[in-house]
Amino acid sequence: MGVEEPTGLHGLVPLTGDNPHALSPLAFPSANALRCRRVLRLPFELGLALRYLRPKKNFVSVITLLCVAGVALGVSVLIIVIAVMTGFDLELRKTIIGFNAHLKVGVPQRPMASWEEVLGRVARVPGVRGAAPFVLGQVLMQTQPDPRDRASQSAAPVVRGIDPAAEGRVSVITNKVISGRLDLRGQGLLMGASLADHLGVRVGDRVALHSTHALDRMLRSKDAGGRELAPAEDFEVRGLFEVGYEQIDAQVVVVSLANAQDLFALGDSVSGVTVMLHDSSVANTRALQRDVEDVLGPEYRSVAWMDENRDLLGAIEVEKDVMLIILFVVMLGAGFCIICSQIAFVIRKTREIGILKAMGATTWQVVGVFLAQSSLVGVLGVASGLALGTGGVWIRNDFLLWMRRLTGRELFPQSIYSFAQIPAEVLPSDVTLICGVSLAMCLLAGVVPAWIAASMRPVEALRND
């Protein structure tokens, strides 16, 4: 038997085309000698893995392509879903903080009387960007349309009293007026756009507000045998605002601080002071929360944005973690596909494995060949999935619009999800976690088939072929 010169294949000498086993991956016909030498310049294990993965018209190649597609699909779905859930979380935080600020300072169970002094002391705390007073309370609201056009509508919104001159330092509401103007002078009122749409209210209409304080006063008068009536406060809708979060746009009306104090009989007191910080991270917010309470004393309490919305933000975080676990379990399906394809490949290449072992290949070299093959499948699948996932995130809203036109249905109703478009944010940490775990799963999926191949004895492998 004629042999070629060693090619640096860890001391192994490939067979020539004169060998009866010339169809083996290691027995190269002379016409392919140059191409094989180029392949074998790579490390032994990687060179054979690339040769095995070369597309061929057989069942094993089809399974390999399906494995790559399965990994790519799993990674892309993971990236899209986690990006959307992260976007929901960040957009919700941004909207809530933009409307309610980072801290709310108040006195437990009663109004804050000396709020001007508190405002000045809080504004001097390092790290505070701005502070403003507010009044908060619920009312019964009735529209006052022309009876000839439509009937009166009722709602129970939350009234927020603000100082327009100071509110811009702590809230985005002064910049979110989409119709009319920001004018709270006299009996002016701003209303959320969704609430106005639900009640059929337009700029210039009038509404009546019945405060809980007035209702309590009438009930006490009735119990005492009197007939005192507390007339409703009439307001003119001067503008409509939209902050982009349905829970706010459908439940909040804004009046001046003085009108809110009159509605709830607070005198010169307020419900509290909202505080906006330069840095809204959780650690910094906690630190400044303690600083503000230390400056004001034990009588005052401050509520951070994380605590005020703990249930909602916590639910989103839990859903994100659960979805991540579920989708990684789905990725196990792609891992099992890799195991099946590798086992089928081991069975198909029994003779070649026997020749490798007979020529002196060590167990770990054979293991390395099949691990390199599963790793290449993983790399191709993860890279394709990364491209598909980031592309899917990029076109998510265009795809949603196309599906809406195609089906004629509102697939992402704002009344349910609170956002007009699908928010998304691709974080490098999430992408690293998804791609890293997926690659590790693909590599582990090749361990069992690789060990089966490496444990074959050369004589039995050639005899059983």
Side-chain angles (χ1 to χ4, degrees):
M1 180 191 314
V3 297
E4 296 180 358
E5 292 298 325
T7 58
L9 190 62
H10 292 273
L12 298 179
V13 182
L15 303 179
T16 67
D18 298 328
N19 191 283
H21 296 292
L23 294 179
S24 166
L26 294 180
F28 307 123
S30 57
N32 296 327
L34 183 59
R35 182 181 63 185
C36 296
R37 288 192 182 97
R38 286 198 300 266
V39 172
L40 294 178
R41 288 195 186 101
L42 296 171
F44 165 55
E45 297 83 356
L46 183 58
L48 284 184
L50 288 172
R51 183 172 175 81
Y52 285 156
L53 285 175
R54 186 174 301 154
K56 303 178 183 67
K57 294 181 180 180
N58 57 50
F59 184 66
V60 175
S61 297
V62 174
I63 295 178
T64 301
L65 291 177
L66 291 177
C67 291
V68 174
V71 174
L73 183 62
V75 170
S76 62
V77 171
L78 269 168
I79 290 175
I80 293 173
V81 171
I82 298 305
V84 169
M85 299 197 73
T86 301
F88 262 98
D89 186 24
L90 296 178
E91 191 67 24
L92 185 61
R93 293 188 184 194
K94 177 182 176 182
T95 303
I96 291 175
I97 291 173
F99 185 78
N100 289 326
H102 299 131
L103 294 176
K104 284 185 177 179
V105 180
V107 181
Q109 307 302 323
R110 61 186 178 87
M112 180 188 293
S114 55
W115 61 269
E116 295 94 339
E117 179 187 353
V118 171
L119 197 66
R121 293 165 65 184
V122 168
R124 289 191 293 270
V125 175
V128 171
R129 189 173 70 185
F134 73 95
V135 172
L136 204 64
Q138 194 165 20
V139 298
L140 175 64
M141 184 173 67
Q142 288 182 306
T143 62
Q144 297 177 322
D146 189 333
R148 296 171 296 181
D149 295 336
R150 58 188 186 275
S152 176
Q153 301 291 321
S154 299
V158 174
V159 167
R160 177 164 171 170
I162 65 170
D163 178 4
E167 191 68 15
R169 298 194 295 265
V170 298
S171 174
V172 299
I173 194 169
T174 56
N175 300 321
K176 295 296 182 178
V177 177
I178 61 171
S179 180
R181 64 189 189 280
L182 177 63
D183 183 7
L184 301 181
R185 295 173 297 176
Q187 296 298 98
L189 174 145
L190 296 180
M191 183 181 296
S194 296
L195 178 60
D197 183 64
H198 174 70
L199 298 176
V201 173
R202 298 183 293 269
V203 174
D205 289 350
R206 301 193 69 84
V207 295
L209 301 184
H210 301 268
S211 69
T212 54
H213 172 75
L215 295 176
D216 288 341
R217 194 171 65 193
M218 286 191 292
L219 288 176
R220 287 195 301 268
S221 176
K222 181 180 178 181
D223 293 340
R227 295 185 177 180
E228 181 182 352
L229 294 178
E233 296 284 346
D234 289 339
F235 287 85
E236 179 187 354
V237 179
R238 303 270 177 82
L240 306 179
F241 67 85
E242 186 176 49
V243 299
Y245 183 55
E246 187 71 11
Q247 298 291 335
I248 296 174
D249 294 336
Q251 295 182 9
V252 177
V253 296
V254 178
V255 299
S256 68
L257 190 67
N259 284 334
Q261 290 171 328
D262 291 340
L263 272 173
F264 301 107
L266 295 179
D268 293 330
S269 300
V270 297
S271 299
V273 170
T274 53
V275 181
M276 185 68 77
L277 309 177
H278 288 289
D279 181 4
S280 62
S281 63
V282 174
N284 186 70
T285 302
R286 289 296 186 200
L288 286 178
Q289 183 181 14
R290 292 189 294 268
D291 292 343
V292 168
E293 291 182 348
D294 292 341
V295 168
L296 297 179
E299 180 184 1
Y300 297 90
R301 292 289 182 272
S302 64
V303 179
W305 62 267
M306 305 87 68
D307 300 326
E308 189 175 15
N309 306 280
R310 179 182 303 167
D311 294 340
L312 182 59
L313 297 177
I316 294 177
E317 193 66 28
V318 170
E319 288 178 1
K320 179 181 175 181
D321 293 340
V322 172
M323 188 61 66
L324 190 65
I325 294 172
I326 293 174
L327 292 176
F328 271 130
V329 172
V330 174
M331 278 291 297
L332 288 176
F336 282 115
C337 289
I338 294 176
I339 292 176
C340 294
S341 68
Q342 290 289 80
I343 290 176
F345 192 81
V346 168
I347 295 173
R348 182 179 176 85
K349 298 296 183 182
T350 300
R351 181 179 62 183
E352 285 82 352
I353 295 171
I355 294 174
L356 281 174
K357 299 294 290 288
M359 294 175 64
T362 65
T363 298
W364 290 110
Q365 285 176 327
V366 177
V367 169
V369 170
F370 290 93
L371 286 182
Q373 188 173 357
S374 61
S375 298
L376 289 171
V377 171
V379 169
L380 291 175
V382 169
S384 302
L386 179 59
L388 288 174
T390 52
V393 171
W394 181 263
I395 65 169
R396 65 191 185 281
N397 288 309
D398 294 330
F399 177 77
L400 178 67
L401 181 60
W402 179 77
M403 288 295 296
R404 184 183 304 165
R405 292 174 178 172
L406 181 65
T407 62
R409 300 179 58 187
E410 187 70 32
L411 302 179
F412 191 76
Q414 185 176 359
S415 59
I416 296 176
Y417 297 102
S418 298
F419 296 106
Q421 293 184 324
I422 301 177
E425 184 74 23
V426 179
L427 298 181
S429 57
D430 290 339
V431 173
T432 302
L433 175 64
I434 292 170
C435 294
V437 173
S438 300
L439 283 173
M441 291 172 65
C442 293
L443 181 61
L444 292 176
V447 171
V448 173
W451 192 256
I452 292 174
S455 62
M456 289 183 179
R457 298 178 62 185
V459 175
E460 293 179 355
L462 293 172
R463 180 191 302 148
N464 294 333
D465 182 48

